[in-house]
Amino acid sequence: MASRILDHMKTIRVPIMLQQRVMKTLREKLALAEQKLEQTFPEPVINYKQRGTTAGSAYLKDWEIRVNPTLLIENPDNFVDEVIPHELAHLLVYRVFGRKGVAPHGNEWKWMMQNVLGVVPKRTHNFAVTSVKSRTFRYLCGCDTLHELTIRRHNKVERGENQYLCRKCGEILRREIASAAES
Ligand SMILES: [Zn+2]
Ligand SMILES: [Zn+2]
């Protein structure tokens, strides 16, 4: 089996103005939640590492929201209004109710969206995804780097033809299982 060092994925730069709009909405909704729930919350970390056709995901324990830069740039208005509150609601539900017996888009999440954040609770977005259709697969290593493998590379791993190493920590990448992410 061949081992290859994984090339860095090209990063998509989100214009500063758009990043500021994301932060503005995040902070407004967070302030609303603090006021209505009479509780303070730390500000979630936003990054622009979400790939594939997923608009965004919430990493509950890391208190982090991953935003798909391509879908944000292509649908700025709807994205900021829908996806940011959607993912923030996942974090808030986790903090307020925990995870046990709580479905990702269940009653707690719907309540958080509607009654606290004042947003219509929609499970999915309907952005055009043709530009992001090529599927990627998440892999982990020994450090904190997120690796997204193309389907071609993923298939090579699955068939045992190839394995990939992290450039930073040198560990063999392994498929991410049981992700805590919710889209
Ligand atoms: Zn690594
Ligand atoms: Zn969701």
Side-chain angles (χ1 to χ4, degrees), residues 109-159:
W109 179 80
K110 286 185 190 136
W111 173 83
M112 193 65 79
M113 286 288 276
Q114 208 146 26
N115 298 57
V116 177
L117 302 182
V119 180
V120 178
K122 284 202 294 183
R123 287 184 63 134
T124 53
H125 62 84
N126 42 22
F127 307 135
V129 292
T130 37
S131 62
V132 287
K133 207 79 186 262
S134 76
R135 236 194 120 184
T136 59
F137 296 82
R138 291 173 171 227
Y139 277 72
L140 301 173
C141 60
C143 67
D144 242 356
T145 311
L146 174 74
H147 303 276
E148 307 253 1
L149 265 62
T150 59
I151 191 154
R152 191 181 60 83
R153 282 176 163 165
H154 170 71
N155 286 339
K156 285 190 174 183
V157 172
E158 293 280 282
R159 290 195 296 259

Side-chain angles (χ1 to χ4, degrees), residues 29-42 116:
K29 294 299 180 189
L30 197 62
L32 198 57
E34 290 189 332
Q35 184 199 324
K36 292 203 174 167
L37 300 170
E38 297 180 333
Q39 186 175 345
T40 58
F41 301 100
V116 177

Side-chain angles (χ1 to χ4, degrees), residues 86-87 90 105 109 123 182-183:
H86 179 123
E87 303 306 337
H90 282 307
H105 301 103
W109 179 80
R123 287 184 63 134
E182 287 299 337
S183 57

Side-chain angles (χ1 to χ4, degrees), residues 2-159:
S3 295
R4 304 213 171 134
I5 303 281
L6 191 72
D7 304 327
H8 284 293
M9 297 268 302
K10 86 173 159 60
T11 49
I12 297 148
R13 231 183 61 76
V14 176
I16 281 295
M17 292 284 280
L18 201 44
Q19 292 191 34
Q20 283 169 344
R21 281 181 64 187
V22 167
M23 293 312 291
K24 184 169 178 278
T25 297
L26 179 77
R27 286 172 183 152
E28 279 171 8
K29 294 299 180 189
L30 197 62
L32 198 57
E34 290 189 332
Q35 184 199 324
K36 292 203 174 167
L37 300 170
E38 297 180 333
Q39 186 175 345
T40 58
F41 301 100
E43 187 174 287
V45 174
I46 299 263
N47 69 47
Y48 297 92
K49 292 177 184 169
Q50 181 69 55
R51 292 296 145 89
T53 57
T54 304
S57 49
Y59 287 75
L60 307 178
K61 291 208 182 77
D62 299 332
W63 203 249
E64 177 187 313
I65 293 172
R66 279 192 190 157
V67 170
N68 187 314
T70 308
L71 291 178
L72 170 64
I73 290 164
E74 289 176 353
N75 317 271
D77 297 332
N78 291 343
F79 197 108
V80 172
D81 293 345
E82 293 171 20
V83 179
I84 299 305
H86 179 123
E87 303 306 337
L88 176 62
H90 282 307
L91 295 181
L92 294 170
V93 166
Y94 172 66
R95 191 55 69 101
V96 173
F97 300 100
R99 282 188 92 165
K100 227 178 154 200
V102 177
H105 301 103
N107 290 334
E108 296 84 357
W109 179 80
K110 286 185 190 136
W111 173 83
M112 193 65 79
M113 286 288 276
Q114 208 146 26
N115 298 57
V116 177
L117 302 182
V119 180
V120 178
K122 284 202 294 183
R123 287 184 63 134
T124 53
H125 62 84
N126 42 22
F127 307 135
V129 292
T130 37
S131 62
V132 287
K133 207 79 186 262
S134 76
R135 236 194 120 184
T136 59
F137 296 82
R138 291 173 171 227
Y139 277 72
L140 301 173
C141 60
C143 67
D144 242 356
T145 311
L146 174 74
H147 303 276
E148 307 253 1
L149 265 62
T150 59
I151 191 154
R152 191 181 60 83
R153 282 176 163 165
H154 170 71
N155 286 339
K156 285 190 174 183
V157 172
E158 293 280 282
R159 290 195 296 259

